Amino acid sequence: MRLRHIELFHAVLTTGSLTGAADLLNISQPAASKALQHAEHQLGFALFSRVRGRLQPTQEALLLRHRVEKIIQDLHDLQRLTANIGRAESYPLRVTCTPTLAQALVPDATTLLRKAFPGTTAELFTQHSAQMCESLMLHEADIGLTLQDAGHPGLRQEPLCHGHVMVIAPPGWWSAAELAQPLPVTALADQPMIGIAMQDALGRMLQSQLAQVVPAPQTSVWVQTYQLAYSLVAQGEGLALVDPFTASRGSGETVQTRPLKLQLDIVLYAVYRLDSPLNPVQKRFLDLVRQLAQQMLAPA
């Protein structure tokens, strides 16, 4: 398929008709019809059949759909990149982060960055750490922010900030005197807990610590994210072990927070490709992330 065939194929998929596709591509309807016939002749099979006045993709076309949509998206990305290259202050910022960091840290840093570089375009999305490394290596993102050690040979990781594992509890769970002290792991024995079913190094480490507590904590609810755990704790469902950024969302009116007495730092890492030096906008963004993270984790 030539590029013009791919664009027409996608336009017909989008609009459901040759007339709509022609309008979308700013060509005549006869030209669109001729191009579609040529594409089908080159391929040796039909791409569409007419059903009740609309063009419906054939089974062969459905097999092509995902690849074609990826090519069209790549074309759009190329157009955005070439538009930005000519503007000195306008470096595109593509950041992927874990859901925890998307709550406040990344949006706040992006807002501050765009005040300093108003011409910058930003693409922000969330992924867990394993998918994040894949996106970086595929050049789908340029910077990753995670609380996990990436350990990928093609990626550089830069520590930005250190924090502690935190225990969160419903309001009034601990006295003011208790809040001033770290919580021993043994104090979680037989306590109602929200379990974190995280398939990563931090989640596995926390579960291994809890497995040594006797009697075991009472875990009735398991969740995939620290944000869900926070919401359940705020509603009185029990205690949870979370990262310091999730814990910093709250106050005494929503949850109580105490550091877990455990010899383990949680590190906020910036991750980026070894073969792609950071540009001035990306460096400024990481400076802002570092500053905001340190402010969030500073003692009250």
Side-chain angles (χ1 to χ4, degrees):
M1 294 181 76
R2 297 185 178 183
L3 182 57
R4 62 189 178 90
H5 296 155
I6 291 172
E7 290 178 320
L8 177 62
F9 175 64
H10 184 262
V12 176
L13 282 174
T14 302
T15 64
S17 71
L18 271 175
T19 302
D23 290 342
L24 195 63
L25 297 175
N26 197 29
I27 60 176
S28 68
Q29 195 274 342
S33 179
K34 184 177 180 180
L36 180 59
Q37 291 174 8
H38 186 255
E40 291 178 328
H41 177 73
Q42 292 285 98
L43 291 170
F45 54 81
L47 292 172
F48 297 94
S49 58
R50 188 170 294 278
V51 179
R52 292 189 293 275
R54 291 182 65 84
L55 293 180
Q56 297 291 335
T58 62
Q59 288 300 315
E60 292 83 356
L62 292 175
L63 292 174
L64 297 174
R65 183 171 193 161
H66 175 72
R67 291 294 183 91
V68 164
E69 289 178 344
K70 179 67 167 62
I71 292 170
I72 294 296
Q73 183 58 54
D74 287 343
L75 284 173
H76 291 164
D77 291 345
L78 178 61
Q79 290 168 353
R80 289 201 300 271
L81 178 60
T82 54
N84 285 322
I85 286 175
R87 298 163 58 187
E89 81 287 358
S90 211
Y91 295 97
L93 178 72
R94 302 186 303 170
V95 176
T96 175
C97 66
T98 58
T100 291
L101 303 174
Q103 294 296 305
L105 184 61
V106 170
D108 289 352
T110 303
T111 299
L112 291 174
L113 178 77
R114 284 192 33 78
K115 290 179 180 178
F117 297 90
T120 295
T121 60
E123 297 179 24
L124 311 175
F125 50 103
T126 62
Q127 293 175 308
H128 290 296
S129 298
Q131 292 76 26
M132 182 181 298
C133 292
E134 183 179 356
S135 291
L136 290 167
M137 293 307 297
L138 289 175
H139 291 242
E140 294 173 345
D142 300 312
I143 294 175
L145 294 171
T146 177
L147 302 178
Q148 305 293 324
D149 185 339
H152 193 290
L155 298 174
R156 184 190 309 277
Q157 60 183 32
E158 176 183 343
L160 302 180
C161 189
H162 295 253
H164 301 287
V165 177
M166 302 295 288
V167 188
I168 57 176
W173 193 276
W174 296 306
S175 68
E178 289 174 318
L179 283 173
Q181 300 296 324
L183 183 74
V185 177
T186 53
L188 297 174
D190 206 32
Q191 295 296 306
M193 295 282 297
I194 308 299
I196 311 291
M198 300 264 312
Q199 300 302 314
D200 57 35
L202 178 58
R204 288 190 293 270
M205 186 282 301
L206 294 179
Q207 291 308 317
S208 68
Q209 291 292 326
L210 291 177
Q212 301 175 35
V213 176
V214 180
Q218 303 172 26
T219 305
S220 300
V221 180
W222 292 86
V223 297
Q224 290 285 335
T225 67
Y226 296 118
Q227 294 76 28
L228 272 174
Y230 182 100
S231 298
L232 289 165
V233 170
Q235 295 180 44
E237 285 293 322
L239 311 178
L241 301 182
V242 299
D243 66 90
F245 296 99
T246 298
S248 69
R249 289 173 49 196
S251 64
E253 297 179 356
T254 51
V255 300
Q256 291 182 311
T257 64
R258 293 174 68 178
L260 187 66
K261 194 174 183 181
L262 189 66
Q263 295 300 315
L264 174 76
D265 274 352
I266 292 183
V267 183
L268 170 60
Y269 292 104
V271 187
Y272 45 91
R273 292 183 299 277
L274 288 170
D275 61 356
S276 300
L278 297 180
N279 62 45
V281 168
Q282 293 165 341
K283 290 179 181 178
R284 179 59 177 154
F285 175 76
L286 291 186
D287 286 342
L288 290 168
V289 169
R290 181 185 291 106
Q291 294 168 19
L292 290 171
Q294 291 173 347
Q295 292 171 13
M296 291 177 69
L297 302 189

